[in-house]
Amino acid sequence: MSDLTTSLQSTKRLKQFEWPRWLSRSRLEPIFVVITLLAVVLSLIIEWADLPRDLVPVLGVVAYVAGGFYGFQESLKSLRRLELDIDFLMIAAAIGAALVGEWRDGAILLFLFSLSNVLQDYAIGRSRQAIRSLFALYPEEAHVHQGDQLKTVPISEIELSDVVLIRPGERVPVDGEVISGQSSVDQSTITGESMPVEKQVGDKVFAGTLNQNGSIDVRATQVAAQSTLSRIIQMVEEAQSRKAPTQRFLDDFEQYYALGVILASALVMLVPWLLLGWDFDDSFYRAMVLLVVASPCALVISVPAAFLSAIAAGARRGVIFKGGAHLEQMAAIKVVAFDKTGTLTVGHPAVTDVVPFGIWSADDLLRIAGAVEARSEHPLSRAVRQAAEARGIPVGAVDEFTAATGEGVEGVFEGLEVRVGRMRYIAECAGQPPDHVVAEYERLHAEGKTVLLACFGGDWAGVLGVADQLRPESRQIVAALHQAGVEHVVMLTGDNAGVGQRIASQAGITDVRAELMPDQKASIMETLHEEYGPVAMVGDGVNDAPALAAATVGIAMGAAGTDVALETADVVLMGDQLETIPYAIRLSHRARRVVWQNIIFALGVIAVLVFSTFLFELPLPLGVVGHEGSTVIVVLNGLRLLTGRAS
């Protein structure tokens, strides 16, 4: 995945150097399972039908070779590393069964053990396939403008700044910017947005998204190997290889546990024989049963079965956990800290107050101020223009437009001299502000808003309050976090306390830390951890990078295409959807519940089987069925997380 372009270019070429697909383990192991079963069944038929038994030893050898082929290889690899694993225990038990004349029980053990491995590989493969299927989102070819011609080329040959034509119904081949046309694009594969997003000139599009109803020309800003989709696939594949603390513990525990099982089996074989007068074959057989039923197959697979599935399910919803450790940590989060701008708020200013003076109405104020602001690209100017458009107020043309940097704009509208900007700039046009103007100015300023004043024809015409706006869903998300088990929610901002308090009160947040520098946000993570417990920091991944790194879990918000967010955060939300944060926490809680269900079930089955071995002289075939059956149940239970439900 680190070089998608190379892999895309060479996929067909590499195939001719690969082993035939039918020789791969994924193909051969199921065949060996069937051969093992047939060998056992044929040996039984020969005995039941009283046929010549010359073939029975041959069938026994076939069953052992086919059933133990891959297990024997894996056990040898472990022994070379001076390690003991489950494969070694199973092979040892099967050989032991043959030595005491119960080769068929050993063959059944190998059959069920290899069958459970096939089922495990299939089940775990489904969770990985949920991510690999993202490769199917890449079209194989794209239509690139080359001079006056339109050529179809492999996507691996698209270079930076190439212009690609994307027709209705086609997938976007690379990240880019729309330079011509407009359309709606289904971005659910990248951002998780359920509704198509309208795209026009200047908007970004992402590789793997689906163009719907219009043709657009897109200038490539990334090559295929560096697209957002490529990075998502790479992050999730890396995440599935990073183990959670519980899984690391079980992996380490397996070594000591396997050694303990071997020692216990040796004692069961020797003590009754030497001290209690048992027949050696009976003692040895009981030891082999113990070797089987006490093996921790289900226990070892219980964690990856759940966490791999949860990581895949989260990725399909636009939540990228960068490792099982972060998925596990999310369930322990007690406090969530939000950056304000661009996270709890929409990240750009909007007109909140329209206060006209004298003969002018609110519509007059927006119509005339919007006309002069239409000539400027300043964010405050865009806010005024958008406010007029939102009310359906047409803005006309302005003559003699000029802009005073940091002060405001002016022009002539329908013969009227117009100025919009700061108090001092407007006072040059309208004179000393009267008390009611000052009162409105101070009120809006106290609320943390940017104040624009207007002068029409030498008179004070009105006041406009402009501020960043709370996301409509922010208040509901804060409530949802509390429902998901978060005890405390904090807002961090570099703005002044007035602005912070206004936004926080709208969002239902009582704890506000204002006027912060990036390094101060990072130090607050330690303070919050000491006061409340594990902390999740939610930010945009740029100026919040120190805090994201310092938090227990750093969550990058709206990170589609944001390099810093993808690198710094532990959890990446590919869209601007706040609701995926409580979803991620609930999914983590559910994954942890499933893990502990698996662990408790696996330990319970082992305890019952071991107890039955000593008390009821459990036959080896029943021990094998109980042992391998519990393994399959644990895997299937973990796969329930693939549905993506978080409750």
Side-chain angles (χ1 to χ4, degrees):
M1 263 312 303
S2 60
D3 193 350
L4 179 64
T5 300
T6 301
S7 73
L8 288 171
Q9 287 175 331
S10 59
T11 295
K12 294 181 180 179
R13 186 171 65 253
L14 287 174
K15 284 183 178 178
Q16 60 185 304
F17 296 106
E18 295 175 351
W19 285 101
R21 192 174 179 184
W22 65 272
L23 285 178
S24 66
R25 177 172 178 173
S26 62
R27 286 298 184 93
L28 282 182
E29 193 166 20
I31 295 174
F32 286 171
V33 169
V34 173
I35 292 173
T36 306
L37 177 61
L38 288 176
V40 172
V41 171
L42 285 175
S43 70
L44 289 171
I45 292 174
I46 289 173
E47 292 185 2
W48 290 339
D50 199 22
L51 297 173
R53 300 192 177 186
D54 295 343
L55 281 178
V56 171
V58 176
L59 291 172
V61 172
V62 169
Y64 266 62
V65 171
F69 184 79
Y70 289 109
F72 183 71
Q73 288 183 359
E74 294 300 323
S75 62
L76 283 181
K77 291 178 184 177
S78 298
L79 289 175
R80 289 193 192 102
R81 299 192 299 267
L82 301 179
E83 296 176 355
L84 295 174
D85 62 6
I86 297 166
D87 294 282
F88 176 81
L89 298 181
M90 294 299 101
I91 296 297
I95 293 174
L99 291 176
V100 296
E102 300 291 345
W103 73 265
R104 191 174 288 111
D105 289 349
I108 293 173
L109 166 62
L110 293 175
F111 162 69
L112 290 174
F113 181 62
S114 56
L115 175 63
S116 71
N117 283 337
V118 169
L119 294 176
Q120 287 175 38
D121 291 342
Y122 170 76
I124 298 301
R126 283 193 59 194
S127 69
R128 296 189 184 277
Q129 186 60 34
I131 300 305
R132 293 195 184 106
S133 62
L134 291 175
F135 278 113
L137 300 178
Y138 279 109
E140 294 184 0
E141 298 176 327
H143 315 297
V144 178
H145 290 284
Q146 295 182 354
D148 295 333
Q149 296 183 327
L150 185 67
K151 292 190 175 181
T152 301
V153 301
I155 68 165
S156 58
E157 296 181 9
I158 299 176
E159 299 179 353
L160 289 178
S161 299
D162 278 354
V163 178
V164 182
L165 170 65
I166 304 168
R167 299 187 175 107
E170 294 181 343
R171 289 201 177 273
V172 179
V174 290
D175 288 2
E177 179 180 333
V178 179
I179 62 171
S180 176
Q182 62 181 36
S183 181
S184 58
V185 176
D186 180 356
Q187 298 189 153
S188 58
T189 53
I190 301 298
T191 66
E193 294 166 286
S194 59
M195 298 299 293
V197 178
E198 294 298 322
K199 298 292 184 180
Q200 53 190 357
V201 175
D203 290 339
K204 291 182 179 179
V205 293
F206 302 106
T209 56
L210 180 63
N211 184 32
Q212 293 198 322
N213 56 9
S215 293
I216 51 177
D217 286 327
V218 172
R219 176 178 288 113
T221 57
Q222 298 282 3
V223 295
Q226 298 172 343
S227 69
T228 299
L229 176 60
S230 169
R231 286 179 291 174
I232 292 174
I233 298 170
Q234 181 178 3
M235 281 191 300
V236 177
E237 288 186 333
E238 290 175 352
Q240 291 185 326
S241 66
R242 295 180 187 140
K243 298 178 180 179
T246 303
Q247 185 178 349
R248 289 197 298 269
F249 170 78
L250 289 178
D251 287 347
D252 295 337
F253 172 73
E254 179 188 359
Q255 301 301 313
Y256 299 104
Y257 184 88
L259 181 60
V261 169
I262 291 174
L263 292 176
S265 299
L267 290 174
V268 169
M269 177 180 65
L270 296 174
V271 171
W273 175 49
L274 296 176
L275 301 181
L276 301 179
W278 286 27
D279 181 76
F280 177 77
D281 286 354
D282 290 340
S283 296
F284 191 79
Y285 184 84
R286 195 59 48 210
M288 294 305 100
V289 175
L290 178 64
L291 199 63
V292 172
V293 300
S295 295
C297 295
L299 185 63
V300 171
I301 199 65
S302 60
V303 177
F307 280 171
L308 291 179
S309 298
I311 288 172
R316 292 204 306 267
R317 291 281 293 269
V319 180
I320 311 297
F321 294 98
K322 294 171 69 175
H326 307 308
L327 173 65
E328 191 171 28
Q329 286 173 327
M330 282 289 284
I333 293 299
K334 297 300 180 184
V335 55
V336 174
F338 283 98
D339 173 56
K340 177 181 73 69
T341 305
T343 303
L344 285 173
T345 67
V346 295
H348 54 79
V351 173
T352 59
D353 299 83
V354 181
V355 184
F357 300 142
I359 63 172
W360 308 103
S361 68
D363 285 356
D364 291 333
L365 184 56
L366 283 176
R367 181 173 65 89
I368 301 172
V372 69
E373 294 283 16
R375 297 287 295 275
S376 171
E377 287 302 316
H378 191 280
L380 295 178
S381 298
R382 286 198 297 272
V384 175
R385 184 171 68 250
Q386 290 168 358
E389 293 172 353
R391 295 195 184 191
I393 300 172
V395 294
V398 173
D399 299 321
E400 302 177 26
F401 172 82
T402 58
T405 303
E407 296 292 339
V409 294
E410 66 175 302
V412 176
F413 177 75
E414 297 179 356
L416 191 70
E417 182 184 354
V418 177
R419 276 196 181 191
V420 181
R422 296 181 179 274
M423 175 76 79
R424 182 178 58 187
Y425 183 63
I426 303 306
E428 295 174 1
C429 166
Q432 190 69 21
D435 292 343
H436 67 279
V437 173
V438 174
E440 287 295 336
Y441 174 86
E442 291 179 349
R443 177 183 70 83
L444 295 173
H445 190 268
E447 294 176 0
K449 299 175 181 177
T450 300
V451 184
L452 297 177
L453 298 105
C455 168
F456 298 165
D459 295 328
W460 292 93
V463 175
L464 299 171
V466 183
D468 194 2
Q469 293 294 288
L470 186 75
R471 291 177 183 268
E473 68 274 22
S474 292
R475 191 174 186 89
Q476 290 80 5
I477 298 307
V478 171
L481 286 172
H482 288 303
Q483 294 173 359
V486 175
E487 297 176 0
H488 196 71
V489 179
V490 184
M491 190 183 78
L492 310 180
T493 179
D495 274 342
N496 62 64
V499 174
Q501 289 290 351
R502 178 177 64 84
I503 295 296
S505 63
Q506 293 174 3
I509 298 174
T510 56
D511 190 348
V512 180
R513 316 288 174 97
E515 301 178 16
L516 300 173
M517 298 297 290
D519 60 328
Q520 293 175 310
K521 292 182 181 180
S523 64
I524 286 176
M525 295 300 102
E526 299 178 10
T527 303
L528 291 172
H529 193 284
E530 292 174 359
E531 292 179 5
Y532 302 101
V535 184
M537 172 65 193
V538 186
D540 61 13
V542 182
N543 62 338
D544 297 314
L548 290 173
T552 309
V553 177
I555 303 175
M557 177 71 186
T562 305
D563 293 333
V564 177
L566 294 174
E567 294 298 327
T568 307
D570 304 311
V571 179
V572 176
L573 310 181
M574 298 311 299
D576 284 332
Q577 296 178 306
L578 284 174
E579 60 268 24
T580 53
I581 300 172
Y583 167 77
I585 293 175
R586 293 195 305 271
L587 180 63
S588 176
H589 279 292
R590 186 175 182 229
R592 189 169 66 171
R593 285 198 304 271
V594 170
V595 163
W596 281 106
Q597 288 170 5
N598 285 349
I599 290 174
I600 292 170
F601 175 77
L603 289 174
V605 170
I606 290 174
V608 169
L609 292 176
V610 170
F611 180 75
S612 300
T613 299
F614 291 110
L615 193 63
F616 304 116
E617 297 185 2
L618 182 74
L620 181 58
L622 289 181
V624 170
V625 170
H627 175 267
E628 301 303 336
S630 67
T631 302
V632 173
I633 290 173
V634 160
V635 171
L636 295 177
N637 189 46
L639 284 179
R640 292 190 299 121
L641 291 165
L642 276 177
T643 62
R645 289 193 306 108
S647 59

